[in-house]
Amino acid sequence: QVQLVESGGGLVQAGGSLRLSCAVSGRTFSSLSMGWFRQAPGEEREFVAVITRSGGNTRYADSVKGRFTISRDNAKNTVYLQMNSLLPEDTAVYYCAAEVSGGMTRTLRGYDYWGQGTQVTVSS
């Protein structure tokens, strides 16, 4: 059974930084594309970033481009989301997701496995 476990969320002031981690087990990590999504209260879950199996390609939502960086360590079965220059509007539950096909989809339906999420709160 594939499990994704996020960590690293918390409360931070605007302008601060956080690094989220997502540890994956139950499947060969290097066979998975990995994405990060987020969901603010009352909003739909939205795409944040995606990284390919090897880590060679990444894509970002326009709202986080230049501030967030997705990366992965295939030896540690972990994907990361480094978040800098955080804004109050970045407040959300952040989810990691795994895509078996190895693509770079931005849609929720493209992902096969999901974590439980980690709360990120940015105070103004």
Side-chain angles (χ1 to χ4, degrees):
Q1 183 173 350
V2 179
Q3 287 191 317
L4 286 69
V5 180
E6 301 97 336
S7 61
L11 173 64
V12 64
Q13 287 189 332
S17 299
L18 281 175
R19 188 176 82 154
L20 306 182
S21 300
C22 173
V24 179
S25 61
R27 194 171 181 116
T28 303
F29 181 66
S30 58
S31 70
L32 303 168
S33 290
M34 297 297 300
W36 284 97
F37 289 75
R38 67 186 182 185
Q39 187 166 17
E43 302 290 332
E44 294 185 349
R45 195 171 299 189
E46 65 175 6
F47 168 80
V48 174
V50 61
I51 189 167
T52 51
R53 293 163 168 166
S54 66
N57 287 293
T58 57
R59 287 181 183 170
Y60 297 91
D62 288 343
S63 59
V64 307
K65 202 172 293 183
R67 300 188 298 121
F68 290 11
T69 302
I70 187 171
S71 63
R72 66 190 294 160
D73 185 337
N74 285 353
K76 295 184 177 179
N77 294 348
T78 302
V79 62
Y80 304 97
L81 186 68
Q82 177 67 45
M83 305 186 294
N84 298 329
S85 302
L86 282 160
L87 305 169
E89 49 263 46
D90 294 319
T91 295
V93 177
Y94 283 72
Y95 299 89
C96 69
E99 181 185 2
V100 173
S101 69
M104 298 186 74
T105 183
R106 298 173 180 235
T107 63
L108 277 69
R109 288 182 295 177
Y111 288 82
D112 302 283
Y113 304 101
W114 291 84
Q116 293 300 305
T118 185
Q119 176 70 47
V120 171
T121 303
V122 184
S123 63
S124 57

